[in-house]
Amino acid sequence: RAPAKLIVEARFQLGKAQLAAGQPAQARRTWQDFLTSDAAKEAGGGLLAGGTYRIAHTYGLPTPGSAGDLELGVAALEVFLKKFPEHKLAPQAEYEIAQAYIHLGRYAPAIERLKSLIGNAAYAKSGVLPEARKLLGQSYFAQRKFAEAIAAWKEFLEKHPTSSSWSDVQRLVIDAEYQTAEEQYQEQNYDKARELWATFLNKY
């Protein structure tokens, strides 16, 4: 017989292979069986956490195909976060929940999730924070909350000057400032629109 440790690893990898092959339901069953097995519980560690985290991906997260998949996927990641709050994948799980909400146009819960992620001191050194701040700004922008979007993106520019997305976010700030004036124009607040565009032109 193969060593127990190797069998546990093989079951975990089987789920990954099934998901990669476009068989999410089979992958889910494999990981659910894996997670409830005595061998996996004895092995513990990274494989147990990894399997729990990946269950959500069998529902299509972070880009679920339906509201039902969204709810099930988010619930799966909530289980992971409850069981492994200090795991290195915890901030990624929070970020994927926000991405999933945004994918189906649910910006309000996405914004709350992103704010919670960014404000969590335990995640202060996470590599996902730059993209979380960028996505927060994009979520506000999608709701036409331009002032909030600009504030989120300016925080990104201040805190992540070496990010490869820095120039992109700078352009997003410019777009949001222009749209702020455009919105005033569309609402026939011409004096305010003129003031904002004059400031925009002087600035850029």
Side-chain angles (χ1 to χ4, degrees):
R1 289 177 54 83
K5 184 177 180 180
L6 186 60
I7 293 174
V8 170
E9 174 74 24
R11 288 177 177 170
F12 175 76
Q13 294 297 338
L14 174 60
K16 290 179 64 176
Q18 289 170 325
L19 184 61
Q23 301 172 345
Q26 292 90 327
R28 188 182 312 124
R29 284 194 295 270
T30 296
W31 278 324
Q32 287 171 339
D33 291 343
F34 165 78
L35 293 171
T36 56
S37 68
D38 292 337
K41 292 175 182 177
E42 291 176 7
L47 292 180
L48 202 58
T52 306
Y53 165 73
R54 285 177 172 81
I55 288 287
H57 295 169
T58 68
Y59 294 108
L61 265 65
T63 56
S66 68
D69 284 344
L70 168 66
E71 298 300 331
L72 291 169
V74 168
L77 284 180
E78 294 285 14
V79 170
F80 167 77
L81 289 167
K82 184 176 181 180
K83 289 185 176 180
F84 307 99
E86 298 180 1
H87 194 274
K88 63 181 181 180
L89 287 173
Q92 180 65 31
E94 297 273 10
Y95 181 63
E96 289 181 4
I97 289 174
Q99 284 182 302
Y101 280 130
I102 289 170
H103 181 68
L104 293 184
R106 299 186 183 183
Y107 294 105
I111 287 170
E112 291 306 310
R113 200 84 201 196
L114 290 167
K115 288 168 64 177
S116 176
L117 165 59
I118 293 167
N120 192 329
Y123 302 155
K125 296 182 179 180
S126 172
V128 80
L129 285 181
E131 289 306 309
R133 287 193 169 96
K134 180 180 178 181
L135 192 60
L136 177 61
Q138 290 171 324
S139 300
Y140 280 129
F141 188 87
Q143 293 185 311
R144 303 187 69 80
K145 296 180 178 180
F146 301 125
E148 291 89 339
I150 290 169
W153 285 329
K154 283 187 174 180
E155 185 175 11
F156 171 98
L157 295 173
E158 176 186 346
K159 294 185 178 294
H160 309 291
T162 61
S163 171
S164 60
S165 297
W166 198 92
S167 296
D168 290 337
V169 172
Q170 178 66 60
R171 284 191 289 271
L172 291 172
V173 170
I174 295 171
D175 289 344
E177 290 177 342
Y178 180 88
Q179 288 298 326
T180 301
E182 177 68 22
E183 184 171 58
Q184 293 300 315
Y185 176 78
Q186 294 296 333
E187 294 178 358
Q188 299 184 356
N189 297 326
Y190 298 127
D191 290 341
K192 185 62 176 179
R194 188 182 307 114
E195 175 189 340
L196 290 170
W197 269 325
T199 301
F200 180 89
L201 290 170
N202 289 331
K203 185 174 181 180
Y204 297 111

